[in-house]
Amino acid sequence: MKKLLFRALSLLLVALMTLSLCSCERIRQAVHRTLMKTLSIKDPDIKDGDNNPYLNIEPDPSTYNEGYEAVPSRYSYQALPLEGEQKLYGILIDSFYEVSPRYSEEAQKYPMPEIRLDGYSLTEAQVRTTLKAISDDCPEIFWISNTIGYYANDEMTIVQGYSRLSPDEVTDKLGKVRQAAGEFYATVPDGLSEYQRELRVHDYLAGIAAYDTNVDVENTDNNDPELYTVYGALVNKLTVCEGYARAFQMLLNGLGVDCVNIIGRSSDELHMWNSVKLDDKWYMVDLTWDDREESYSRYCYFNLTSEQMALDHEDAPMFTSLDDSQINGEVDDIGADVMNMFIPECVDPTMSWFYRETPHLDDFDGVDVKNALLAAAKNSEQYFAFYIGDGMDLEDTVRQLFKESPQYFFDYVISVNGYLEDYSIDESNIGYITMPTNRAVTVELQYY
C-alpha cells in the first residue's frame, strides 16, 4: 500500500509539473523589424572627393580562432542569382570598412563611399537582396544602418551605404567585439569535434548573455540598436534573438563550423535562429529559447531536424518567391529584412543534445537509465533527463513509465534508493516534463 500511495501522490505532481514547465517564454522573439530607407542619388557625377574624407577601419581577421581554420559564411552570397549582385556584394563589404566622420543630416547617419558598378543595372530590390546577403553572411559588420543611397540607369548602378556609428565609435566597438571573441577563443582547446565546438559556443553565450525582457516588441525603434548585434551579445551581454543568432554564427564560423541564421516567426512574432553544419549534415538551433533560467530546458532546441523545429517555428519566405514590391517592403509587411536566402534541410536527429548526452531507454528494463539515475542521485542532481529510444512509442512509453501500471520509473527509483546510504530519492514528490520534440523526458528529483 505504501508504494501505491507514493505513486498516487506523484501523479498529481506530475500533472502540475507538466502544465507549468512545458510552456515557452514567448517574449523572446523580437527581431529588429525596420524597413530599409532608400535615398535617391540625384547626380551620380558629383563626387565627395577631399571634402568628405573616409577613415579606414581595419578589416576583421581576428574574430577567428587561430587553432581552427575559419569558415566565413558565404551561403547567402552563393544564393545571389546575378553576377552584378555578387560583384556589388564584394565591393560593398570593402566600403563598409570606410566611414566618414562627417554626419549626413539627410540620412541622419555617417556616409560610406559611393560605389559605382559599371555595366550592371540593378533594381532597388536586387540591391536590397544583396545587402540582405551581406547581413546574413557577415555578423561581424554590425554598424551598418538601414539607410542606403541608390541610383541606376541602363549602364550602371550606384549605391552608398551609411553607418549608424561614427568611425571612432566603430573602431572602439569593433575592438571590444574582437577582444571578447579572443577571450572566448582562448578557452577553446585544439582538437575538438565540430559538435564539441558548437556546444562550447552555445554554453558560453547562454552563460554570459541575457535576454532583454524590457524590449519593445511593438516598436523596435524604441530599443537600443546594439541589442540586435554581436556587440550586444558579446560586450553588453544584453541582447534579443537576433543578437544571440549573429553572435552564435560569428563565433562558430571562427571555430571552423558552418553556421547561418534563419529568420521566421514563432507564436506569430518575428524571430531569428540558426542552422549549423556538423560532419556535412545540417541541424537547427535556437539559442534564444535555450537560454532560460530553468536548467532542464537548456538544450531543448539544440540540433533539431527541420520537422522538429517546424512544430513551433515557421520559416519566413525565400527571396526567390517574392516580387520586387514585396522585397522593397511596399506590400504584405515582408521586405528584404524578413526573407530568407538559404535554408538547409535538416533531417538527422542524432546530433541533438538529448540523443547524444543522455541515457537511452530502449526497453523497460531500463538498465542504462537506472545506472545514470543512480549517478545523478549520488550527486544530488535536481533534474535527470533520458531519451526514449526510436523503437519505442513515445506516448505509450511515457504512460507506462509514469501514469499507468506498471509505472516502471518508480521501480527504477526504488532500485536506485537501495544503493543510496545517507538519503533517498523522494518517490512521492517526482514530477516530469515530456519533450516530444526531442523524444526526451526530464524528471525533477527531490530527496529526503
Side-chain angles (χ1 to χ4, degrees):
M1 283 299 296
K2 183 177 180 182
K3 184 175 181 181
L4 291 176
L5 176 61
F6 279 164
R7 293 188 177 187
L9 289 172
S10 70
L11 287 179
L12 174 62
L13 193 65
V14 162
L16 293 175
M17 287 285 291
T18 304
L19 289 174
S20 62
L21 296 183
C22 288
S23 61
C24 296
E25 295 181 51
R26 299 298 184 184
I27 192 173
R28 299 185 171 213
Q29 298 163 0
V31 168
H32 195 191
R33 177 67 167 110
T34 305
L35 289 175
M36 185 176 293
K37 178 181 179 182
T38 304
L39 300 178
S40 176
I41 298 177
K42 296 181 177 61
D43 190 342
D45 293 326
I46 297 178
K47 303 298 180 185
D48 289 326
D50 294 335
N51 294 324
N52 193 15
Y54 297 93
L55 301 183
N56 288 329
I57 299 162
E58 282 296 319
D60 183 19
S62 57
T63 53
Y64 302 114
N65 182 282
E66 294 182 358
Y68 297 92
E69 184 178 355
V71 286
S73 179
R74 289 296 179 266
Y75 288 96
S76 289
Y77 165 81
Q78 293 166 0
L80 291 170
L82 300 178
E83 182 182 46
E85 291 174 305
Q86 293 189 343
K87 286 183 177 294
L88 180 62
Y89 176 105
I91 298 171
L92 278 174
I93 287 180
D94 290 339
S95 78
F96 289 162
Y97 285 91
E98 298 182 54
V99 179
S100 170
R102 191 177 72 186
Y103 189 76
S104 167
E105 293 297 337
E106 180 187 16
Q108 297 188 340
K109 300 291 188 295
Y110 296 90
M112 297 172 178
E114 193 176 276
I115 301 302
R116 177 170 173 153
L117 189 65
D118 290 317
Y120 298 92
S121 180
L122 300 180
T123 66
E124 182 179 340
Q126 289 163 347
V127 171
R128 286 172 179 264
T129 299
T130 303
L131 288 166
K132 165 65 173 173
I134 294 173
S135 175
D136 284 351
D137 289 346
C138 306
E140 68 277 8
I141 303 178
F142 57 85
W143 53 92
I144 307 306
S145 81
N146 64 324
T147 300
I148 61 167
Y150 165 74
Y151 171 89
N153 60 27
D154 292 340
E155 299 177 350
M156 64 178 174
T157 301
I158 297 178
V159 179
Q160 181 170 36
Y162 292 88
S163 170
R164 59 183 177 80
L165 303 174
S166 72
D168 288 343
E169 289 173 321
V170 174
T171 299
D172 175 65
K173 292 190 173 186
L174 183 57
K176 290 177 180 177
V177 167
R178 292 171 176 172
Q179 180 181 356
E183 289 173 355
F184 165 68
Y185 288 141
T187 70
V188 181
D190 294 346
L192 297 182
S193 69
E194 291 177 340
Y195 172 88
Q196 290 170 326
R197 282 171 263 166
E198 179 200 12
L199 191 59
R200 286 264 183 162
V201 175
H202 177 280
D203 290 354
Y204 171 72
L205 288 173
I208 68 161
Y211 189 91
D212 186 356
T213 57
N214 295 317
V215 65
D216 187 342
V217 297
E218 299 297 330
N219 186 357
T220 57
D221 287 339
N222 292 333
N223 301 319
D224 180 357
E226 305 297 5
L227 288 174
Y228 306 93
T229 69
V230 295
Y231 187 88
L234 292 175
V235 181
N236 291 341
K237 300 177 182 178
L238 188 67
T239 190
V240 292
C241 64
E242 189 171 347
Y244 277 113
R246 295 190 186 283
F248 192 64
Q249 178 189 17
M250 189 191 81
L251 292 179
L252 277 177
N253 287 168
L255 289 174
V257 179
D258 283 300
C259 180
V260 298
N261 60 62
I262 310 293
I263 194 166
R265 304 187 76 85
S266 187
S267 190
D268 202 31
E269 298 287 343
L270 286 172
H271 189 46
M272 185 180 285
W273 59 96
N274 296 99
S275 188
V276 176
K277 189 178 183 182
L278 307 173
D279 300 331
D280 295 323
K281 295 179 181 179
W282 287 94
Y283 304 87
M284 293 290 179
V285 184
D286 191 339
L287 177 57
T288 306
W289 279 24
D290 276 352
D291 187 17
R292 289 179 277 178
E293 292 181 2
E294 302 89 346
S295 60
Y296 75 85
S297 64
R298 180 55 60 91
Y299 304 101
C300 288
Y301 291 89
F302 188 83
N303 293 351
L304 303 185
T305 66
S306 299
E307 182 179 4
Q308 290 169 334
M309 188 65 88
L311 293 175
D312 47 28
H313 290 60
E314 180 184 1
D315 300 337
M318 290 293 292
F319 77 105
T320 50
S321 70
L322 304 177
D323 61 31
D324 282 9
S325 63
Q326 291 173 311
I327 293 173
N328 291 340
E330 298 165 1
V331 295
D332 296 342
D333 193 31
I334 297 178
D337 56 333
V338 286
M339 66 186 189
N340 286 296
M341 301 193 66
F342 173 74
I343 303 177
E345 184 66 19
C346 308
V347 297
D348 179 23
T350 63
M351 282 289 189
S352 77
W353 185 86
F354 286 95
Y355 186 95
R356 289 179 62 93
E357 306 291 344
T358 67
H360 287 212
L361 183 74
D362 293 316
D363 55 56
F364 286 114
D365 288 341
V367 175
D368 291 342
V369 171
K370 284 188 285 189
N371 289 337
L373 179 60
L374 176 60
K378 286 183 176 179
N379 291 324
S380 300
E381 293 178 10
Q382 181 182 4
Y383 293 108
F384 171 72
F386 58 96
Y387 181 88
I388 305 296
D390 297 336
M392 304 185 76
D393 180 83
L394 179 63
E395 291 185 6
D396 182 64
T397 300
V398 171
R399 184 167 55 252
Q400 293 191 59
L401 285 171
F402 298 100
K403 296 180 180 181
E404 299 176 358
S405 180
Q407 294 180 272
Y408 289 107
F409 190 80
F410 296 94
D411 290 330
Y412 304 160
V413 172
I414 292 170
S415 175
V416 166
N417 281 342
Y419 292 93
L420 300 175
E421 296 180 358
D422 299 326
Y423 56 88
S424 298
I425 299 173
D426 187 352
E427 187 186 347
S428 68
N429 203 11
I430 289 176
Y432 73 92
I433 308 105
T434 304
M435 301 175 180
T437 301
N438 296 278
R439 292 190 59 84
V441 175
T442 295
V443 180
E444 184 178 40
L445 303 176
Q446 299 192 43
Y447 304 89
Y448 67 91

